[in-house]
Amino acid sequence: MTFGAALAALAVVAWRLVGNAGAVVRPSTLTAIMVGAAVCALAWFALVVLSFVALRPQRLSQTGQVVAGIVAGVLCVSVMAPFAVTAGYIRTASQTLDAVMAPVEGTTPSPIRAEDPWDGRKRVNFLLVGGDAAGNRVGVRTDSMTVASVNVATGNTVLFSLPRNLQYVRFPASSPLHKVFPDGFNVDGEGLLNSVWYYADNNPQVMGGKNRGAQALKDAIGYTLGLHIDYYAMVDMFGFAAMIDALGGLDIRVERDIKWGGHFGTAGTIKAGYRRLSGEEVLWYGRSRVDSDDFSRMSRQRCVIGALAQQATPSKVLANFTRIAAAARHMFRTDIPRDLLEHLVPLGMKVRSAKITSLQFVPPLIHTGNPDWDKIRELTKKAIRESMADQVPIAATASPMVTAGASGTASASASGSPGASPSSATSSTPSPSRTPIVADAGGRKTPTPNDKAAKTLAELCGF
């Protein structure tokens, strides 16, 4: 009777969790599952032992008693093993989540309200960072930076990719770096975007504390796009390769041969075609610059993200859970609060079946050495508007954009200092390339095209 009641209770809990997948990752739920698994294991053990005793094995011959005892022991282990494995998996998952989502020292996450976890926001913006902290480098270089802007209601998502060599990014007035770099981030005469995190981490006296690189990068990218970046998640490149191996590889459409290793690609070649790549191959597919550039590399990286989102199915994750968890501990950093995770799970399930579009701010659309900040913001707004439409745009046919009014206030706000916006410099300088000078709806001339729309990953990557 007690055993039946336990099974009934487990069935009720399972039924409730099916309707609320996010509740599975609550600390209280994980603890309850571990305790429940232990209780069920002991209950099965007791049931087998009591049944064995009730059958009075002493009536058997000595050989029969030995055989019966062995069979009973095997049954005990067999019925307890699944519960023990479950408890082990849950404990590993809980420890991994606690380690990955531990708050940065000196910061306190905002409390999450269960009735409104997104605090009234219709969209939530995640900065996805690929960090390279290899042994031959000092500090972290953020070589891959993508913002995922997610519609909370529908899951429709726009991916905005920013190149590592985007120069002279501005910071909002609320950032400590705004006073240090009022005319744009500029270190050693370059001021590349992928150095912002490194600079902030190495100048805690400027940032007001240690480990503020993520916040500095969120400020810079959020101000560039005209969005508020809510959370970030950084993946270490080499930890990422270990996770891909734990999943059994990733199926990628390789458009052309990709050489990797050193400056001349002497380590190997990833052949063109639709093929399954190992963790190391996926890593170099996304990182290689041999016979390539940063912009084509960005394109490959977003295809890797899309392929992972599609192919990391629950069955694959469960089958390789222990290895994935071990890789995750050394791979992820994030400021997503632990209490938000239960609400993030159902949102992620929406994203998997929703419309995902992508836009890269790379030449010829944007000149990375002298970016048109107004244009970046207008393209961002336009991509979000199109993401909310019922139909995905098939061709890149954007409607005309008004990026500055007659007073020019938009240019002033984007630059951080009135009358000195990079967009005005761009418009007054003839383009050295063959790209024709075109005018937008506001009458402003720009050497970069205005007719680029965000496209689906299926179109871009051949999923």
Side-chain angles (χ1 to χ4, degrees):
M1 184 175 178
T2 302
F3 186 72
L7 286 179
L10 284 176
V12 171
V13 171
W15 178 77
R16 294 185 63 182
L17 291 179
V18 167
N20 184 12
V24 176
V25 295
R26 289 178 189 164
S28 59
T29 303
L30 295 177
T31 300
I33 294 174
M34 280 191 291
V35 172
V39 169
C40 287
L42 292 174
W44 272 111
F45 176 80
L47 179 63
V48 172
V49 171
L50 291 174
S51 299
F52 177 70
V53 172
L55 292 174
R56 300 172 63 188
Q58 64 271 20
R59 294 180 304 173
L60 301 174
S61 63
Q62 184 175 3
T63 302
Q65 292 180 33
V66 171
V67 172
I70 293 174
V71 170
V74 170
L75 283 174
C76 286
V77 172
S78 299
V79 297
M80 291 179 67
F83 297 103
V85 170
T86 298
Y89 273 17
I90 296 300
R91 183 172 181 270
T92 299
S94 183
Q95 291 177 339
T96 300
L97 292 174
D98 289 341
V100 168
M101 296 185 159
V104 175
E105 183 180 353
T107 64
T108 303
S110 301
I112 303 300
R113 295 179 299 158
E115 66 276 10
D116 185 13
W118 309 114
D119 200 21
R121 289 166 290 185
K122 294 182 179 180
R123 302 192 72 86
V124 60
N125 302 306
F126 300 92
L127 173 59
L128 310 177
V129 179
D132 189 349
N136 60 348
R137 279 189 166 185
V138 178
V140 175
R141 296 299 195 280
T142 54
D143 284 348
S144 172
M145 291 158 284
T146 299
V147 172
S149 182
V150 184
N151 185 306
V152 173
T154 66
N156 285 0
T157 300
V158 188
L159 301 177
F160 299 104
S161 298
L162 295 100
R164 60 185 289 278
N165 61 341
L166 190 71
Q167 293 181 281
Y168 315 124
V169 291
R170 270 67 171 168
F171 299 91
S174 58
S175 171
L177 294 180
H178 176 74
K179 294 181 180 179
V180 182
F181 303 105
D183 298 321
F185 183 66
N186 190 354
V187 177
D188 298 328
E190 289 186 337
L192 302 182
L193 180 60
N194 80 325
S195 297
V196 170
W197 185 310
Y198 175 80
Y199 178 87
D201 272 358
N202 284 276
N203 291 274
Q205 74 283 359
V206 174
M207 295 300 299
K210 296 181 179 179
N211 302 317
R212 298 293 195 270
Q215 186 58 53
L217 189 62
K218 285 166 63 177
D219 289 340
I221 290 179
Y223 194 63
T224 298
L225 298 178
L227 300 174
H228 173 74
I229 306 299
D230 299 291
Y231 306 105
Y232 88 93
M234 189 183 81
V235 178
D236 175 73
M237 295 293 189
F238 291 91
F240 181 74
M243 189 186 74
I244 296 299
D245 282 333
L247 282 170
L250 208 59
D251 294 329
I252 297 284
R253 188 189 70 171
V254 182
E255 290 189 348
R256 64 178 183 83
D257 289 358
I258 302 294
K259 295 182 179 180
W260 57 275
H263 294 289
F264 304 103
T266 55
T269 301
I270 301 170
K271 294 292 186 180
Y274 191 77
R275 57 184 68 255
R276 174 160 296 185
L277 305 183
S278 67
E280 184 180 31
E281 289 172 330
V282 169
L283 177 64
W284 286 110
Y285 173 76
R287 297 185 70 218
S288 178
R289 294 195 195 97
V290 179
D291 298 329
S292 183
D293 55 32
D294 283 335
F295 312 120
S296 57
R297 185 173 73 154
M298 283 172 58
S299 180
R300 297 196 300 269
Q301 287 169 353
R302 63 180 172 176
C303 289
V304 168
I305 293 174
L308 180 61
Q310 286 192 346
Q311 297 171 38
T313 61
S315 58
K316 278 190 177 182
V317 172
L318 287 174
N320 303 280
F321 185 78
T322 304
R323 293 178 63 196
I324 292 173
R329 290 195 190 191
H330 302 93
M331 180 179 70
F332 283 115
R333 295 190 206 176
T334 184
D335 61 352
I336 297 174
R338 180 72 172 82
D339 292 341
L340 185 64
L341 187 59
E342 67 176 277
H343 306 286
L344 191 60
V345 169
L347 182 62
M349 294 173 69
K350 283 184 183 179
V351 172
R352 283 181 59 88
S353 57
K355 179 171 66 176
I356 302 178
T357 52
S358 178
L359 183 62
Q360 293 188 99
F361 295 110
V362 298
L365 186 64
I366 295 296
H367 291 321
T368 56
N370 186 20
D372 186 334
W373 307 112
D374 292 337
K375 182 177 180 181
I376 290 176
R377 290 185 173 188
E378 289 299 328
L379 288 171
T380 299
K381 291 178 183 178
K382 181 174 181 293
I384 289 176
R385 286 197 304 268
E386 290 181 345
S387 172
M388 298 172 66
D390 292 333
Q391 298 297 326
V392 180
I394 301 302
T397 54
S399 58
M401 298 179 300
V402 180
T403 56
S407 63
T409 54
S411 297
S413 65
S415 66
S417 58
S421 75
S423 56
S424 61
T426 302
S427 62
S428 61
T429 304
S431 172
S433 68
R434 297 182 180 179
T435 305
I437 304 295
V438 296
D440 59 23
R444 188 183 60 171
K445 293 182 178 180
T446 172
T448 54
N450 285 323
D451 62 344
K452 298 296 183 183
K455 294 185 177 181
T456 66
L457 290 181
E459 292 175 299
L460 294 165
C461 306
F463 294 154

